[in-house]
Amino acid sequence: QEQLVESGGGSVQAGGSLRLSCAVSGYNPSPNVVAWFRQAPGKEREGVAAIHTAIGRTFYAGSVKGRFTMSQDNASTVHLEMNSLQPEDTAIYYCAAKYIFNPDYVESWSHYYYWGQGTQVTVSS
């Protein structure tokens, strides 16, 4: 069964850190781009970070660059290390995946057809 399963959400005070993980399973072949999106109440979903799992190339939204770091154990497990969290980072965080041929498309937030169920991140001031 194809699935993306997020873990690691929770509550933290401003300035704190959290680490999210996404387990990718059941795809053959595995998607070569895995990303994190988030959606805050009343706001549109936005891309946060992405990684090309074959070459390790990453891409970050401007709002998180320098605070969030995406990494991977392998093509099946990716992580999002979130530091210096602020209340505006509060959202449901979703893992998503896609296949691309051109590595430059890791910088596009489009064409993600595979999604996890999401995990809540709450940052209090």
Side-chain angles (χ1 to χ4, degrees):
Q1 181 181 359
E2 299 175 342
Q3 57 181 357
L4 303 170
V5 179
E6 303 97 337
S7 61
S11 298
V12 66
Q13 289 191 326
S17 299
L18 282 173
R19 188 190 197 211
L20 304 183
S21 297
C22 176
V24 182
S25 63
Y27 298 89
N28 188 17
S30 295
N32 55 2
V33 178
V34 181
W36 290 95
F37 288 74
R38 67 185 181 187
Q39 188 166 21
K43 294 188 176 182
E44 292 188 356
R45 185 173 59 196
E46 62 175 349
V48 174
I51 188 167
H52 191 298
T53 58
I55 61 176
R57 177 173 170 177
T58 55
F59 179 66
Y60 299 94
S63 58
V64 306
K65 200 168 186 179
R67 299 189 298 125
F68 291 11
T69 302
M70 200 159 178
S71 63
Q72 61 181 40
D73 293 342
N74 46 53
S76 299
T77 307
V78 300
H79 308 285
L80 183 67
E81 188 75 35
M82 305 185 294
N83 298 315
S84 302
L85 283 162
Q86 299 302 315
E88 52 266 35
D89 294 315
T90 294
I92 298 174
Y93 283 70
Y94 297 91
C95 181
K98 67 179 179 180
Y99 298 90
I100 63 173
F101 292 103
N102 184 338
D104 290 341
Y105 284 100
V106 73
E107 300 186 6
S108 169
W109 299 121
S110 301
H111 304 299
Y112 283 91
Y113 299 118
Y114 309 101
W115 293 86
Q117 294 299 308
T119 185
Q120 178 70 45
V121 171
T122 302
V123 185
S124 58
S125 58

